[in-house]
Amino acid sequence: APALTAGAHGITASYDGACPWTASVSAVLTVQVAKAALSVSIANASRSYGTSNPVFTGTVSGLIGTDTVHVTYATTATTSSPTGNYPITATVGGSDAGTYAVTITPGTLTINKIASTLALNAGPNPALAESLVSFTAQAASSTTGVPTGTVTFYDGGTALGKATLNASGQALYSTANLSAGTHSVTAAYDGDQNFIASSASPITETAGDCTLTVTGSTSQTVPAGGTATYTFAVTPNTPTTLAPVTLAVAGLPASATSVFSPSTVAKGSGTTVVSFTVVTSAQVSAV
């Protein structure tokens, strides 16, 4: 006889009769068949932020004979879900599923942080010493999404300042405090809930300036009303001057005047020799 399915079954027996006895049917006997126990244990899984969910699996125990069921796994996590733990659930279907009392042990999907990258640019480069220079750091995802949080900018081992990433993953920091010379500037991203911290490769920022070097005599004695001429070189620490250099003097003797030739070294000039002439005042006799 075939096996009874789960549920209540009314069982009767019938007699076909045989002379001298007539046919008869028994009273109904109700048989309650309990559902068989079926357990589904869902395996834990993990993935990185911004990637697709993996194929979920589990272990099915308690199937009888040739019975088959279909197990469907699901989670609330999507590609853009932030890092953290999410439950993995299951539903059991199929033609034989109704004959089983199903117990499901949920699994856990763990979403882990993903790597980030950080690129650094500066402008202008080179720049005049003590003039405004802007540094832009671009944080990016190795999968999807935009990093958030802050970026710290460094001049060598000294922190220049911190800036917050905007909606495009950019952080901007400006300073007018770079001294003349070359600077190794880098930036470090602090990371956030979804992204691992990262650092940018150093860039070299050159701050331009000029030096004045006397090329002739440094001291002269002249009579009242006489002139003294000096020469010196204006030498940029970059290949050429980054801006016009205007020359001025302070501390001249009373009533003396001075002339520079040229009075301004043009932008783009290399080393330029300048003459500086002082005209002293003539003595005036008392009356």
Side-chain angles (χ1 to χ4, degrees):
L4 296 179
T5 60
H9 298 267
I11 308 297
T12 60
S14 62
Y15 171 57
D16 295 336
C19 187
W21 295 282
T22 60
S24 60
V25 178
S26 70
V28 177
L29 174 66
T30 300
V31 176
Q32 184 71 37
V33 179
K35 291 184 177 183
L38 184 74
S39 63
V40 178
S41 180
I42 305 174
N44 295 330
S46 64
R47 66 170 174 85
S48 296
Y49 169 75
T51 60
S52 300
N53 288 331
V55 176
F56 301 126
T57 61
T59 302
V60 179
S61 303
L63 282 174
I64 298 173
T66 59
D67 286 356
T68 60
V69 294
H70 177 68
V71 182
T72 302
Y73 302 97
T75 184
T76 57
T78 64
T79 301
S80 58
S81 295
T83 60
N85 295 324
Y86 297 82
I88 306 172
T89 59
T91 56
V92 178
S95 59
D96 297 319
T99 63
Y100 291 91
V102 180
T103 300
I104 297 176
T105 303
T108 299
L109 170 66
T110 301
I111 300 179
N112 300 309
K113 289 185 178 185
I114 197 68
S116 65
T117 60
L118 191 66
L120 180 63
N121 290 292
N125 189 12
L128 286 173
E130 309 299 330
S131 66
L132 191 66
V133 179
S134 296
F135 299 99
T136 302
Q138 177 68 63
S141 167
S142 58
T143 55
T144 189
V146 179
T148 62
T150 56
V151 174
T152 303
F153 296 83
Y154 294 90
D155 180 6
T158 302
L160 293 171
K162 188 183 290 283
T164 301
L165 293 171
N166 62 21
S168 300
Q170 285 188 344
L172 177 65
Y173 177 79
S174 298
T175 181
N177 294 324
L178 294 182
S179 58
T182 57
H183 300 262
S184 180
V185 179
T186 190
Y189 168 51
D190 298 332
D192 64 8
Q193 179 182 358
N194 299 317
F195 293 95
I196 299 170
S198 57
S199 297
S201 298
I203 61 173
T204 299
E205 172 70 27
T206 301
D209 202 353
C210 294
T211 58
L212 303 181
T213 305
V214 177
T215 58
S217 61
T218 60
S219 177
Q220 297 182 49
T221 300
V222 297
T227 61
T229 300
Y230 303 88
T231 60
F232 55 89
V234 179
T235 305
N237 70 334
T238 49
T240 60
T241 55
L242 302 178
V245 178
T246 301
L247 302 169
V249 66
L252 286 175
S255 301
T257 59
S258 65
V259 177
F260 288 98
S261 180
S263 60
T264 299
V265 177
K267 176 183 177 180
S269 300
T271 298
T272 303
V273 176
V274 175
S275 66
F276 171 56
T277 301
V278 178
V279 181
T280 64
S281 59
Q283 290 183 337
V284 178
S285 301
V287 177

